[in-house]
Amino acid sequence: DVQLVESGGGSVRAGGSLRLSCAASAYTASINCMGWFRQAPGKEREGVAAIYTDHQTTYYADSVKDRLTISQDNAENTVYLQMNSLKPEDTAMYYCAARASCSSVTWWRPNWYNYWGQGTQVTVS
């Protein structure tokens, strides 16, 4: 089974940057769509970005598209989330998720994904 491991979270001041990484244990066609989600205490999990690795197509939530960039490193089976100009409201646990294909209509739905990592905490003060 595919394992996803996130890293790169931490505590930063407002206006700072972080780069999150999501490493997959192996490449398979079942993880061509890689997404990043976040969940703050008391709130629902929300999709912030996704990448359709076979098509190099990216998707972003409107609230973050000017500050976050998702990218891939196929050689390392890794997807990154570069986060700039961080705000306190970006504070959340960030999760990586994967499934076989992306859709512009459903990429942001948590229940659409088959594989999940354990999460990495981002705190912005």
Side-chain angles (χ1 to χ4, degrees), residues 30-108:
S30 63
I31 58 168
N32 279 332
C33 182
M34 304 284 289
W36 282 99
F37 290 76
R38 66 185 181 187
Q39 187 167 21
K43 294 189 176 182
E44 294 186 353
R45 191 169 295 190
E46 64 170 339
V48 294
I51 186 165
Y52 199 171
T53 57
D54 270 6
H55 297 71
Q56 298 186 5
T57 301
T58 56
Y59 310 87
Y60 295 95
D62 288 342
S63 60
V64 302
K65 62 182 179 181
D66 294 332
R67 301 184 295 116
L68 273 57
T69 303
I70 190 169
S71 61
Q72 64 189 81
D73 183 336
N74 291 338
E76 299 293 331
N77 293 333
T78 300
V79 170
Y80 302 97
L81 185 68
Q82 177 68 44
M83 304 190 297
N84 299 325
S85 303
L86 284 164
K87 305 175 181 180
E89 51 264 42
D90 294 318
T91 295
M93 184 71 80
Y94 283 70
Y95 297 92
C96 176
R99 62 159 287 141
S101 62
C102 279
S103 162
S104 60
V105 177
T106 57
W107 70 266
W108 50 272

Side-chain angles (χ1 to χ4, degrees), residues 1-5 22-28 31 76-77:
D1 208 6
V2 175
Q3 306 294 322
L4 302 176
V5 179
C22 173
S25 56
Y27 171 76
T28 77
I31 58 168
E76 299 293 331
N77 293 333

